[in-house]
Amino acid sequence: MNATAEAGLIESTLLERNRNMDTNRETQMDTDRDDHQSRTSTPDSITAAAAWHVDPQQTVMDCRLNKIFYGDFLAVRDSLVPIEKNKITGFIGPSGCGKSTVLRSLNRMNDLIPVFRFEGTVTYHGQDIYDKSIDPVLVRRYIGMVFQQPNPFSMSIYDNVAFGLRLNRFKGDMNERVEKALRSAALWNEVKDKLKNSGLSLSGGQQQRLCIARAVATEPDVLLMDEPCSALDPIATRQVEELMLELKENYTVALVTHNMQQATRVADTTAFFSVDISEGGRTGYLVEMGDTQQIFADPREKLTREYIAGEFS
Amino acid sequence: MTRVASEALLEQDLASMKPLQGSLLEGRSLKSRIYTGITWGLAILASLPLFSVLYMLIAKGGARINWETLTALPPAAFEFGGGIGPAIVGTAIMVGIGSAISIPIGILAAIYLAEVAPHSKLAETARFLAKVLTGFPSILAGVFVYAVLVVSMKTYSAWAGGIALAVLMLPTIILTAEETLKQVPQKMKDAAYGMGCTRAQVVAAVTLPTGLPGVITGVLLAVAGAAGESAPLLFTALFSTYYVNGLEGLGQPTASLSILIYNFSGMPYDNQIELAWAASLVLVLIILVFNILARVLGRQKF
């Protein structure tokens, strides 16, 4: 939903820019374009698009996103995104390129949208989470999510963190786990004396760290973070970024960010998505994925280079 | 006119000074004052009926408010004293029956409308019918229950009265609860889904608790409305001069405040007329209490 709203906002500028780019490419780089076309339309070209091979032993999730639809609208196509263990995988790209859609497909959050349709496989520790036998509710208990807008529940700070534990019928020492989660979200010192206060009484940055504490309390395997800092000020952003770097010791993190500096600061691996308007729609796809250093210092694709240079956003 | 440290005032300041001092009698400002005055006056006028009714009830019925009035059986024709006890209990019981039926149905229906399938054909239909039912003449609810229950059971009863009240309470509860449940931010529900909640868990742990103040407001307003109803009870519970007698008593004609007021106010005896005034005051106070409760409990916002 967010992606479409966002898409609408920047549509005009992006359309125009892409149109210019397309004409440029048409006149100057016929070969490149052909290359590009064939690569994205044949199945084995997916691997070529990613051109990013990782040790299968190290991947927690192996995501082959062939087609993601909202109704008739093709939102994302032909993207291969491996998520590596104990690393932060950053997703960057212009607005409307489907990076949030991709992220929300990784724990089946998009199933809540009735018109959502997924073609492909998301292999999580050897199981395809889109298999018919899989219960999406259970998937989300292992693959947690932190959202763009801080969204604590309208209950006490303690209850917010304990929510997932109670949901999973946790039998151990609740106080200890709540404290541990709040500590790992770097929030404990600020809230330890007011655990009974409403989670909504906190500041925006604190609320987001509370949401992170809530997400890590149940010790999920993978944490999906959808632009977690976009509603935060620079200081809170810095705190959350430091937090992410600590979290990757124990968790695997996939991070959507609109902020390229953020990707360079925290991501180990970066996936660059772009939007393709050549066939009339606005379809996002993975342009390039690789080591963050390489993506920003020496991108293989011209599109990546242009985006990183700030030629379009 | 204020003087701004006149000695420090330089000549160029004087030259560039703007006419900022207003006059109360200037047209623009005068008009604003007149309009403000009119709205004040009309606001007072609008609250006049409520206060005059309250004043009249206290003046005419206040004197009879005592323990005997609140508990004793209604007097017979030329008897002195007596009270409205059975009517208070009867109203409470029938509103209780109505609530017991309409609150669970209403809230569950609201959950369906707001959360489960808001755009389904069934939901659209149910929502439309609930809206129609809010404007439903209350006497028709009485006639309906009369035809369905009273005729088949061959007696007026508290059950029939309670069910007629439930019919009237239902749409208020459904629509207010739906409205508040819809206001629970989607991002909160997303958070719960994201942690691995089923839909039932999201509703039970997040949507309902978050929307509770609003749901309670709707329920209390429905209760207050039902307590004051008279027309539906006329056809269903009728009246009685005795207390409801155990469970079986619920199957017999039952007294209520509103019918007592209607009956007694038409009698040619001063004692009964005084009791009708007292009953009116009690009824208004009950409704007022529920309205105030609804405001206090509904204040909490997310």
Side-chain angles (χ1 to χ4, degrees), chain B residues 76-87:
Chain B
F78 288 99
E79 213 179 330
F80 288 104
I84 56 172

Side-chain angles (χ1 to χ4, degrees), chain A residues 23-312:
Chain A
T23 43
N24 284 345
R25 236 192 268 148
E26 249 167 76
T27 50
Q28 296 167 5
M29 315 194 138
D30 267 345
T31 39
D32 187 47
R33 188 145 192 266
D34 287 344
D35 212 314
H36 178 84
Q37 285 267 318
S38 63
R39 186 177 64 214
T40 50
S41 49
T42 61
D44 46 3
S45 65
I46 292 181
T47 7
W52 170 240
H53 299 287
V54 290
D55 181 2
Q57 293 292 319
Q58 290 304 310
T59 52
V60 174
M61 303 185 79
D62 208 5
C63 318
R64 273 176 178 272
L65 316 160
N66 295 343
K67 284 187 168 73
I68 301 178
F69 289 98
Y70 293 116
D72 293 331
F73 171 64
L74 178 60
V76 176
R77 63 166 167 80
D78 308 321
S79 303
L80 183 78
V81 189
I83 310 281
E84 285 174 277
K85 191 171 170 53
N86 295 113
K87 282 195 178 176
I88 298 178
T89 305
F91 295 5
I92 60 167
S95 300
C97 70
K99 53 193 190 298
S100 283
T101 295
V102 168
L103 193 80
R104 293 166 75 96
S105 300
L106 303 190
N107 72 343
R108 299 196 59 175
M109 270 307 278
N110 274 334
D111 286 35
L112 300 175
I113 300 167
V115 294
F116 167 78
R117 198 151 52 79
F118 180 88
E119 286 175 20
T121 56
V122 173
T123 312
Y124 170 61
H125 289 302
Q127 285 187 83
D128 177 14
I129 63 167
Y130 280 91
D131 192 85
K132 278 199 177 63
S133 64
I134 300 285
D135 179 357
V137 169
L138 295 174
V139 169
R140 296 183 203 126
R141 297 201 181 177
Y142 295 97
I143 306 176
M145 188 143 198
V146 175
F147 296 82
Q148 192 169 3
Q149 295 282 329
N151 54 1
F153 298 130
S154 160
M155 45 178 93
S156 73
I157 294 170
Y158 185 96
D159 289 341
N160 260 287
V161 182
F163 185 88
L165 297 169
R166 292 190 178 129
L167 185 70
N168 292 325
R169 300 211 170 75
F170 175 71
K171 287 288 185 295
D173 186 347
M174 190 75 84
N175 292 343
E176 187 200 320
R177 282 288 285 272
V178 169
E179 181 179 339
K180 190 179 160 203
L182 283 169
R183 276 190 193 282
S184 65
L187 190 60
W188 174 252
N189 287 331
E190 288 157 67
V191 301
K192 65 182 177 203
D193 299 322
K194 47 178 183 179
L195 292 174
K196 288 208 168 62
N197 291 15
S198 165
L200 295 170
S201 67
L202 298 173
S203 74
Q206 289 174 322
Q207 286 191 11
Q208 192 63 303
R209 279 179 285 148
L210 177 62
C211 293
I212 294 173
R214 180 179 65 190
V216 300
T218 52
E219 302 187 340
D221 199 17
V222 181
L223 209 52
L224 306 177
M225 304 180 104
D226 187 0
E227 298 197 40
C229 302
S230 67
L232 304 186
D233 63 57
I235 295 169
T237 299
R238 198 192 161 90
Q239 284 168 325
V240 171
E241 283 178 8
E242 281 168 8
L243 184 56
M244 284 189 247
L245 292 171
E246 281 169 37
L247 287 174
K248 77 171 181 179
E249 310 271 314
N250 299 311
Y251 304 94
T252 300
V253 178
L255 166 75
V256 165
T257 176
H258 205 88
N259 179 334
M260 281 188 278
Q261 280 73 39
Q262 181 165 66
T264 55
R265 283 192 298 259
V266 298
D268 298 295
T269 308
T270 297
F272 170 61
F273 290 83
S274 189
V275 60
D276 176 7
I277 56 165
S278 61
E279 281 144 49
R282 301 178 40 82
T283 301
Y285 64 102
L286 179 68
V287 176
E288 179 172 0
M289 184 165 182
D291 205 73
T292 300
Q293 283 246 300
Q294 175 256 309
I295 291 285
F296 282 93
D298 179 27
R300 288 185 301 273
E301 298 286 325
K302 180 169 176 285
L303 210 52
T304 316
R305 200 174 316 124
E306 285 172 346
Y307 182 72
I308 285 163
E311 284 176 32
F312 68 104

Side-chain angles (χ1 to χ4, degrees), chain B residues 14-70:
Chain B
L14 271 173
S16 58
M17 220 148 110
K18 303 285 185 287
L20 297 177
Q21 270 116 3
S23 154
L24 294 184
L25 294 173
E26 194 206 336
R28 194 169 47 95
S29 140
L30 197 65
K31 256 190 211 162
S32 168
R33 265 148 219 284
I34 291 171
Y35 287 137
T36 312
I38 290 175
T39 56
W40 267 93
L42 292 178
I44 290 168
L45 198 66
S47 48
L48 212 59
L50 175 67
F51 285 109
S52 45
V53 166
L54 266 179
Y55 173 76
M56 187 179 61
L57 290 179
I58 291 168
K60 298 224 178 190
R64 278 299 290 267
I65 300 288
N66 53 42
W67 189 244
E68 191 200 355
T69 307
L70 292 179

